[in-house]
């Protein structure tokens, strides 16, 4: 049994009003600013990442094109060497045939 009955309803209501005011006036704007800052940083990060990926892809495609052109050039060189070797071997065989057919005379 309490000797004095106290009603804290009004005081609790005041505390509740002050807490709501602090949350609405101080904490909510702070949180909103931080969320805006995070969004801005995230946008910049995504933008920079996209630019870096695009730049890397461009460099990769250019390097692939350079390597392809070098491969074509090398294949043409090898093909020409084989064609020259085939032509020389054919000419040598023809020369040898005519030498054997007509004798080795100088």
């Amino acid at each position: 049994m309490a000797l004095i009955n106290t009603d804290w309803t009004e005081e609790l209501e005041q505390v509740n009003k002050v807490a709501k005011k602090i949350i609405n006036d101080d904490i909510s704007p702070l949180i909103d600013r931080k969320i805006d800052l995070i969004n801005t940083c995230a946008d910049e990060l995504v933008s920079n990442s996209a630019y870096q990926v695009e730049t890397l892809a461009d460099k990769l495609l250019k390097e692939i094109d350079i390597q392809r052109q070098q491969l074509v050039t090398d294949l043409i060189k090898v093909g020409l060497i084989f064609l020259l070797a085939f032509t020389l071997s054919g000419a040598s065989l023809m020369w040898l045939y005519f030498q054997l057919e007509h004798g080795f005379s100088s």
Side-chain angles (χ1 to χ4, degrees), residues 40-103:
T40 301
C41 290
D43 288 344
E44 289 177 12
L45 181 63
V46 168
S47 176
N48 287 341
S49 297
Y51 174 75
Q52 289 176 352
V53 167
E54 185 178 334
T55 302
L56 183 61
D58 286 344
K59 287 180 181 179
L60 182 62
L61 289 174
K62 286 177 184 176
E63 183 62 30
I64 289 172
D65 190 46
I66 290 169
Q67 293 296 325
R68 184 191 61 79
Q69 290 174 359
Q70 185 63 41
L71 177 64
V72 168
T73 302
D74 291 346
L75 286 175
I76 289 172
K77 288 177 184 177
V78 169
L80 288 175
I81 289 171
F82 278 127
L83 181 62
L84 180 62
F86 181 73
T87 303
L88 289 176
S89 67
S92 298
L93 287 174
M94 288 174 57
W95 177 80
L96 184 60
Y97 172 76
F98 284 116
Q99 290 299 321
L100 290 174
E101 188 74 24
H102 301 307

Side-chain angles (χ1 to χ4, degrees), residues 11-65:
E11 286 79 9
L12 290 175
E13 188 63 36
Q14 274 185 323
V15 169
N16 192 14
K17 285 180 184 178
V18 169
K20 283 183 181 179
K21 184 173 178 3
I22 289 172
I23 289 172
N24 289 335
D25 294 347
D26 297 330
I27 295 175
S28 288
L30 180 64
I31 291 173
D32 290 342
R33 283 194 304 266
K34 293 300 177 187
I35 289 173
D36 288 342
L37 180 63
I38 289 170
N39 285 337
T40 301
C41 290
D43 288 344
E44 289 177 12
L45 181 63
V46 168
S47 176
N48 287 341
S49 297
Y51 174 75
Q52 289 176 352
V53 167
E54 185 178 334
T55 302
L56 183 61
D58 286 344
K59 287 180 181 179
L60 182 62
L61 289 174
K62 286 177 184 176
E63 183 62 30
I64 289 172
D65 190 46

